[in-house]
Structure formats: structure tokens, C-alpha cells
Amino acid sequence: MADRLPVIVFDVNETLSDMTPMARRFADVGAPEHLAPLWFTSVLRDGFGLTAAGAQQPFAAIAAGVLRTLFSGLDLTRDTDAAIEHVMEGFGGLGTHPDVPDGVWALHDAGFRLVTLSNGAARVAEGLLTRAGIRDRFERLLSVEDAGAWKPARAAYAHAAEACGVDLADTLLVAVHPWDLDGAARAGMATAYIDRTGAPYPDHLTAPTHTVTALPGLAQRLS
Amino acid sequence: MADRLPVIVFDVNETLSDMTPMARRFADVGAPEHLAPLWFTSVLRDGFGLTAAGAQQPFAAIAAGVLRTLFSGLDLTRDTDAAIEHVMEGFGGLGTHPDVPDGVWALHDAGFRLVTLSNGAARVAEGLLTRAGIRDRFERLLSVEDAGAWKPARAAYAHAAEACGVDLADTLLVAVHPWDLDGAARAGMATAYIDRTGAPYPDHLTAPTHTVTALPGLAQRLS
């Protein structure tokens, strides 16, 4: 990797997209906003559990299924199916974090090949990056749906490297999620942690190769 | 399995133990009580993520590490290390759900061999069942720490079957967690869901063999 630029593989949900508006969707249907992070974490729990058990389900199916469980027993402002639909629709209108366009432009201008690899559907990334005006900076938008396993299983990262025609050692994962960086590191990738919140990086997961507080800092770190 | 009684393998946290007092531990240190379910779900997310990536860390290490992240930026009533210690100590004093002793007695009296299999440490189950006066009804208290992988990976369930000297097809997992029942079913076990809350069982995970609203109902279902 010392002799050539790594292919930069971006996580999508929360790393590129700002998911804070999802909490408002919970409030809209009469559910507490603090259920939004519990929901997202529960989706990952079930997705990773299935992966650990050798199985796989689409992100959207798990996301809707977890909502049905979380909404059980709540006094919602609309029926459960409509409430689930309202929250799920929120995914289709998210924006990127303010630092993302500048960071993507800087990395693209520096000559890096850029792709995304999401546990969600590729069309969600397609919409997000198109709305932000940066879709054309990305060579490919990949989903674990074509990998046979969710991140952080090695097969998910290997799928991205293979799709780009490079070895895992010639790739670098960018994410805000320590579990993702840990899996990527175990698969042999370099890693970059975007630390937008200042929360301590957990000791129980592999430390990242690089840490920056916003995406534009990464181009500087890598050049 | 039709010709002989299955060995009954119990999940521990939330299935046997009532974890609702953990929320009070969060309030004690100045953190919102609604962080308690987010904390437990995040511990499972990281534990399953490591499992999917082919790695493993002790439950207590992940639980403390996730607390450090969740407590970041909060105005706690004591320093972070003391707050983490206070929450973690809560595990050592939990009681069982009210239906557990009667259910365990009924299953034991019906001739079933009973064991536990936890993603946590065996000593947590030891303390819980001793305080409830039902420790002697259990043949073994097992932890995934000796299996090389957390539930819901197949290796965790296989460890329990092997420790009991039976095939997976001659075991039955009892849990309140659909992800656990899903993994057990995929490993070849029969499963029983203790549905104490009435929340719908998620479509994205394998449906249980049996569903009861409290543990004493299981002995009736199986006899």
C-alpha cells in the first residue's frame, strides 16, 4: 500500500448521512425520540446476529421488523403499519454531514478511487450522494446484499476489494462505527475513524489506523 | 427427540434475570434511564459484530467499554470510572423474574436436564440462581467464553450440546430474545420463546417451536 493510493471504501449510514432527522420521524408518529438510536442499534444487533449464525436478511426488512417490536404497546398517532412506513421513508430524504462534500472532493482531487459499502441497499447511497451533488465522485456504490454477509464479516469487505479489483491490503475503510473499523482491520484493511462526537474509542475493538474529526482532514492525513 | 426428553438450555440475561433494576443504576449516576436498553443492545451489537468477524471479547469488557462511550458528554454525578463500576455492579444483585422458580421446579420435576448458556460469565448465572434458591436444579452453568464464539453462532450452541453429551437435535433453547432463538434453530435445536411482554415476534428471524407467556407453561407444553 505504500507504493500506491488505497481505494477508499466509505460506510454510508451515519458516516456519510446525518441520521439525526430520523428521531423526528419517531416523534411524528407519537413515539419517544430516544427510541431512534435504540432502533438503529437493534437493527445492527439482529443483522450481525444473523451474520454470526451464517444467515442474512435485507437491512430494510430488519429495520421494519424492529420498528414493529419497538412500537408494540405504544400509543401511536397512526396505525402501526403507517407509523413504520413513515419512519422508513425518512431514509429516503437524509442529507450528508456538512463535512462530507468537502472531504469527498478533497480525496477525489488527490487521486483516490472512492466507493461506498453499506449494510443497507445501494439505492439509499445513490439517493443520498445524488442529493448532495457528489455522486459522480464515486466509482461504485456497493451493498453487502451482493456479498453474502453483512459487515463486519470478512466476506463483506472482501466483496468490496474484489469489486474494485484490488487486494484488501490496498483498501481503506472510512466509518464512524468502531464495530465496522474493527471488522475491516481484522480483514486486513487500513481504517479511518471519523470522530465527530468526541466519544472515546472503545478498548474492546481494534483501534483505527487514522482518526480525524471531519472528512476533509483525511485527505491531509493520507497525502 | 421424540423418544427422549431434550436437555433444556436456558439463556440467562433477561430470560432468567429481571434486568429492569439496571435502569435505576443509570439514574443513580445521573444518566437517563432510557440509556439502559440502548446499552444492553449495544453490548450485543458489538459482541455479535466481533463474532461475525471471527473474534471474541468477554461480555463484561464490552459492557464497560460501551458504558464509557454512552457516558461521554453526560453530566454525571460521579467520575466516569466510578459510574461504570456502579452500573456493572448491578449485574451482581439481580433477581429472577417471578415465574422462573416455579417454571424451573416444574421442568426439573418432569425429568428434564437443565443447563444455562450465557454470553456473559458463568459466575453471574451462579449468583443469580443461588440467590433464587434454584441453583441445585441446574446440572451445569455454561458460558460462551468456553465455546470460542458468542451466541447466536452455531459453535456456541454446539458447545452446550457437547458439554451435555447430546446432539444439538436433543436440546431445546429457552430465551426471551428472538436473535437467540433464531441462532439456536439454525443450529438444529428446538426453541421456546418466553413472551412476557406481548411484543410481536419479528418476521426477519426464525419463528420459535414453542411460545409461552411464562416459564411454568413450558413444562405443560413439553409434557
Side-chain angles (χ1 to χ4, degrees):
Chain A
M1 201 171 93
D3 298 314
R4 55 185 179 277
L5 295 178
V7 174
I8 300 187
V9 181
F10 290 86
D11 174 49
V12 177
N13 292 330
E14 287 191 325
T15 294
L16 298 179
S17 65
D18 177 1
M19 285 184 59
T20 52
M22 296 304 292
R24 179 70 220 171
R25 296 256 160 183
F26 280 70
D28 290 343
V29 302
E33 292 199 358
H34 66 71
L35 288 185
L38 177 60
W39 167 60
F40 187 65
T41 304
S42 300
V43 174
L44 298 178
R45 175 202 60 200
D46 282 3
F48 299 176
L50 283 162
T51 304
Q56 188 172 21
Q57 289 283 347
F59 186 94
I62 299 179
V66 171
L67 282 175
R68 191 172 301 279
T69 299
L70 286 178
F71 284 168
S72 170
L74 296 183
D75 186 24
L76 301 176
T77 59
R78 56 193 92 184
D79 73 44
T80 304
D81 286 338
I84 291 170
E85 188 178 340
H86 181 71
V87 173
M88 293 298 294
E89 279 175 0
F91 267 118
L94 295 177
T96 59
H97 292 283
D99 60 306
V100 167
D102 283 353
V104 166
W105 290 324
L107 288 165
H108 185 266
D109 289 351
F112 291 95
R113 295 171 61 191
L114 311 182
V115 302
T116 61
L117 176 66
S118 179
N119 280 337
R123 67 184 146 62
V124 172
E126 185 83 43
L128 174 78
L129 300 175
T130 300
R131 285 190 299 279
I134 53 176
R135 170 63 187 91
D136 63 350
R137 300 301 198 272
F138 290 84
E139 184 178 312
R140 307 190 68 153
L141 307 183
L142 303 167
S143 168
V144 299
E145 289 173 5
D146 300 311
W150 279 35
K151 299 184 291 178
R154 189 182 195 283
Y157 306 106
H159 167 70
E162 188 178 6
C164 296
V166 297
D167 293 335
L168 277 162
D170 294 319
T171 64
L172 180 147
L173 184 86
V174 177
V176 296
H177 301 124
W179 55 261
D180 201 353
L181 299 160
D182 175 89
R186 292 181 192 279
M189 302 174 74
T191 59
Y193 177 45
I194 311 297
D195 176 18
R196 293 196 184 94
T197 68
Y201 193 93
D203 288 340
H204 60 269
L205 297 173
T206 310
T209 319
H210 308 282
T211 299
V212 295
T213 57
L215 198 52
L218 186 59
Q220 296 172 299
R221 282 293 301 273
L222 297 178
S223 63
Chain B
M1 200 170 91
D3 298 313
R4 56 184 178 279
L5 295 178
V7 174
I8 299 188
V9 181
F10 290 86
D11 175 48
V12 177
N13 292 329
E14 288 189 324
T15 294
L16 298 178
S17 66
D18 177 2
M19 286 184 59
T20 52
M22 297 303 293
R24 179 69 219 174
R25 296 257 160 181
F26 280 71
D28 290 343
V29 303
E33 293 198 357
H34 66 70
L35 287 185
L38 178 61
W39 166 60
F40 186 65
T41 305
S42 300
V43 173
L44 298 178
R45 175 201 61 199
D46 282 4
F48 298 176
L50 283 162
T51 304
Q56 189 173 20
Q57 289 283 346
F59 186 95
I62 299 179
V66 170
L67 282 175
R68 191 172 300 280
T69 299
L70 286 178
F71 284 167
S72 170
L74 296 183
D75 186 23
L76 301 175
T77 59
R78 56 193 90 183
D79 73 43
T80 303
D81 287 338
I84 292 170
E85 189 178 340
H86 181 70
V87 173
M88 293 297 294
E89 278 175 0
F91 267 118
L94 296 177
T96 58
H97 292 283
D99 61 307
V100 167
D102 283 353
V104 166
W105 289 324
L107 288 164
H108 185 267
D109 288 350
F112 291 96
R113 296 170 61 190
L114 310 182
V115 302
T116 61
L117 176 67
S118 179
N119 279 336
R123 67 183 146 64
V124 171
E126 183 83 43
L128 174 77
L129 300 176
T130 300
R131 285 190 299 280
I134 53 175
R135 170 64 186 90
D136 64 350
R137 300 301 198 273
F138 289 86
E139 183 178 313
R140 308 190 66 154
L141 307 182
L142 302 167
S143 168
V144 299
E145 290 174 3
D146 300 312
W150 279 35
K151 299 182 292 179
R154 190 182 195 284
Y157 306 106
H159 166 70
E162 189 178 8
C164 296
V166 297
D167 293 336
L168 277 163
D170 294 318
T171 63
L172 179 147
L173 185 86
V174 177
V176 295
H177 301 125
W179 54 261
D180 201 353
L181 299 160
D182 176 89
R186 291 181 192 279
M189 303 174 74
T191 59
Y193 177 45
I194 310 298
D195 176 18
R196 293 196 185 94
T197 67
Y201 194 94
D203 289 340
H204 59 270
L205 297 173
T206 310
T209 318
H210 307 283
T211 299
V212 295
T213 56
L215 199 51
L218 186 59
Q220 296 171 300
R221 282 294 300 273
L222 297 178
S223 62

